[in-house]
Amino acid sequence: MRQRAGKSWGARVRVTAALVLAVLSGAAVSAPRETLTVLTSYPEEVVATFERAFERRHPEIALQILWRQHRDAYDYLQGPAQGGVDVYWSPAVRNFADLGEEGSLRKLDVDLRGLPSHVGKFRISDPDGRFVASEIAGFGFMIDPAALARQGLPAPKTWQDLALPKYRGHILFPVPSRVGFAPTLLDVVLQSQGWDQGWALLSEAGANFVFAETGGAFASLSQGMRAPISVAVTIDFFASSAIANGAPLAFVYPPGTGYSPAHIGILRDTPHLDAARAFVTFVLSEEGQRLLFAPDVRKLPVRPSVYRDAPKGTYDPFAANAATAEVTYEETLGLSRYALDNALFDVFVTRRKSDLSALWTRLQAKREAVQGTTAADPRCLAKARDLLAQAPVDAATASDPALRKTFDRRRSDADARAQADAYEARWTQVLDSRTAQVRQWLSDGAQCPDQ
């Protein structure tokens, strides 16, 4: 049985399937089957693929699938008896970290041999063994080669390429506070580039972005991109699944990229421990991991041995490559400033999109004009760039645990929400003042002092 936000998914079909399985396995139709409840956010095609294979392997266990998006899933698991859930299986990094910290997950006691805890230096599983990665998705650029050719643009290869003026209006970028995979993407950029340089890059590149507020915006590009969009900064799943089904797309993993792991864990209060272990073991087994290569699934397995059976052209994150060699990602750091990063991006980039596009366009035009001329004071241009690229919060301030906690608690605590709103108002005032100064320095005939 599948339930989507409390509603049944194909219950009649599931009952028929259970009867067929019972007959084929030689069991009496009336024989009781243990019901295992799995909470997930995976779409139907992913869940159905694993459900069919698992129930063939374990006809004595009937899966009940509950579907909840990340925020709703966490709240659901706070209910009595943890909502009756036995296994949580989802690409919801923050949820697993929080559930692990509060003791809502059992320490996994299944066989994890052959499953690395890292991809390169990028940690993908809980160091304390409360949850483990079941698949990963890599960050990078989904591109439409035909659209790029029509627009006379090369494919971007690095994070820095996203800031080039020629991509103005051509790049779809997810808003981290709105799109589930985007907070980790944001922090991968900040950690790979450093706090100051990372925000400077996001400010300049933000002038080029068209913002997406749902993951569905990327899924809708699967048959090609609509002008002027020709590049989407996203996770590889959206491209790889579409490519497997014939879409004219490609995917580029930039140096300094990272990964968004999905995890699986067993709930503390499960009364079906053996069945839960069986499901987790199956998902992580070679058989289960190979299911990730299915055209309608196309996610990256976490068991390196199965890549020998991968479809041609499948990216192998465990092979030595430039995209991961440079990455040392601290997941604990990323999670600790998750909400703060999201709020900063909204104030510094998303809400200033119009100003960023106008000011970076003017600055870039003046920098080109000043080459070999005295058309603009280069000191003004340097000062304007520095101010335009400077985030309203420096690295030292961003490391304050109290500040991070304020934004973490914003959703559930009225006082924290008021404090966070006040911080954002102050950041906005600072940025408005800087914007006025930048406009002055970029005005015709502006003169700047040496200091």
Side-chain angles (χ1 to χ4, degrees):
M1 181 185 299
R2 300 189 183 93
Q3 296 178 14
R4 182 184 179 99
K7 297 180 180 179
S8 173
W9 280 5
R12 188 174 302 171
V13 174
R14 280 289 295 109
V15 170
T16 302
L19 291 171
V20 171
L21 282 168
V23 171
L24 291 178
S25 66
V29 172
S30 59
R33 303 172 71 208
E34 185 173 11
T35 298
L36 184 74
T37 301
V38 177
L39 180 64
T40 187
S41 63
Y42 279 122
E44 169 73 2
E45 55 268 23
V46 175
V47 172
T49 298
F50 277 85
E51 183 179 21
R52 288 191 297 267
F54 176 73
E55 292 193 349
R56 282 196 300 269
R57 179 67 60 184
H58 292 278
E60 75 283 5
I61 301 173
L63 291 184
Q64 175 175 266
I65 305 297
L66 301 181
W67 190 93
R68 296 289 188 280
Q69 279 287 16
H70 304 336
R71 292 177 181 175
D72 293 337
Y74 180 81
D75 293 340
Y76 188 84
L77 292 172
Q78 304 307 303
Q82 298 183 294
V85 173
D86 301 300
V87 174
Y88 185 34
W89 178 41
S90 184
V93 175
R94 183 62 183 268
N95 279 3
F96 277 94
D98 289 345
L99 291 167
E101 284 297 311
E102 66 192 29
S104 295
L105 299 172
R106 295 177 55 91
K107 189 161 185 176
L108 285 174
D109 50 357
V110 300
D111 187 356
L112 300 179
R113 287 176 295 180
L115 294 168
S117 61
H118 292 71
V119 179
K121 297 179 181 179
F122 197 108
R123 175 174 285 282
I124 58 173
S125 291
D126 178 35
D128 295 321
R130 297 163 297 189
F131 51 89
V132 65
S134 60
E135 52 96 348
I136 55 177
F139 295 115
F141 316 141
M142 180 165 68
I143 62 172
D144 185 328
L148 287 168
R150 287 193 300 269
Q151 295 158 355
L153 294 172
K157 296 180 180 179
T158 68
W159 297 117
Q160 287 74 18
D161 285 347
L162 300 179
L164 296 175
K166 59 189 172 187
Y167 291 112
R168 189 82 82 237
H170 294 293
I171 300 173
L172 189 68
F173 192 91
V175 176
S177 61
R178 300 286 185 226
V179 180
F181 66 82
T184 304
L185 164 62
L186 169 59
D187 206 64
V188 163
V189 174
L190 293 176
Q191 290 199 35
S192 67
Q193 307 299 310
W195 182 263
D196 292 336
Q197 291 304 312
W199 282 114
L201 172 60
L202 290 164
S203 171
E204 191 166 6
N208 297 340
F209 293 160
V210 175
F211 290 116
E213 296 197 357
T214 68
F218 298 93
S220 69
L221 302 176
S222 62
Q223 297 306 313
M225 302 191 189
R226 297 180 181 179
I229 301 298
S230 53
V231 178
V233 183
T234 182
I235 50 176
D236 53 18
F237 161 71
F238 291 109
S240 56
S241 180
I243 293 167
N245 286 286
L249 302 172
F251 197 84
V252 176
Y253 296 90
T257 193
Y259 300 94
S260 179
H263 292 118
I264 192 166
I266 298 175
L267 274 297
R268 178 195 62 228
D269 296 337
T270 177
H272 306 287
L273 182 55
D274 288 342
R277 287 172 177 154
F279 183 73
V280 171
T281 297
F282 176 79
V283 168
L284 299 175
S285 69
E286 289 205 353
E287 180 182 356
Q289 291 286 288
R290 288 193 191 95
L291 295 176
L292 297 169
F293 294 137
D296 289 335
V297 180
R298 280 303 169 103
K299 296 179 181 293
L300 298 177
V302 293
R303 186 174 287 279
S305 61
V306 304
Y307 282 91
R308 63 176 178 265
D309 303 318
K312 184 178 179 180
T314 299
Y315 177 74
D316 182 353
F318 296 99
N321 63 83
T324 58
E326 301 175 13
V327 179
T328 301
Y329 183 77
E330 296 180 38
E331 184 182 65
T332 302
L333 172 60
L335 290 172
S336 71
R337 64 189 192 190
Y338 182 106
L340 175 61
D341 284 355
N342 288 355
L344 272 171
F345 190 91
D346 280 341
V347 173
F348 187 44
V349 183
T350 311
R351 298 173 194 165
R352 299 177 68 229
K353 172 64 171 64
S354 179
D355 282 342
L356 290 177
S357 293
L359 294 174
W360 281 109
T361 297
R362 185 166 180 79
L363 173 61
Q364 289 153 352
K366 280 186 166 287
R367 291 175 72 180
E368 290 180 7
V370 82
Q371 301 298 321
T373 74
T374 57
D377 187 337
R379 294 169 301 177
C380 286
L381 302 188
K383 289 177 177 292
R385 189 199 180 286
D386 289 346
L387 209 54
L388 196 53
Q390 185 181 353
V393 175
D394 60 27
T397 302
S399 66
D400 179 6
L403 178 64
R404 294 176 179 178
K405 187 174 182 179
T406 294
F407 283 88
D408 281 343
R409 297 172 57 191
R410 185 180 201 171
R411 284 184 58 223
S412 58
D413 185 302
D415 289 339
R417 182 163 56 253
Q419 293 174 31
D421 289 348
Y423 278 120
E424 288 195 4
R426 289 197 290 273
W427 298 343
T428 299
Q429 289 179 341
V430 169
L431 291 169
D432 286 346
S433 176
R434 290 181 187 174
T435 296
Q437 180 64 76
V438 169
R439 285 198 179 100
Q440 179 181 336
W441 282 334
L442 294 180
S443 62
D444 292 336
Q447 297 292 319
C448 291
D450 291 331
Q451 300 296 325

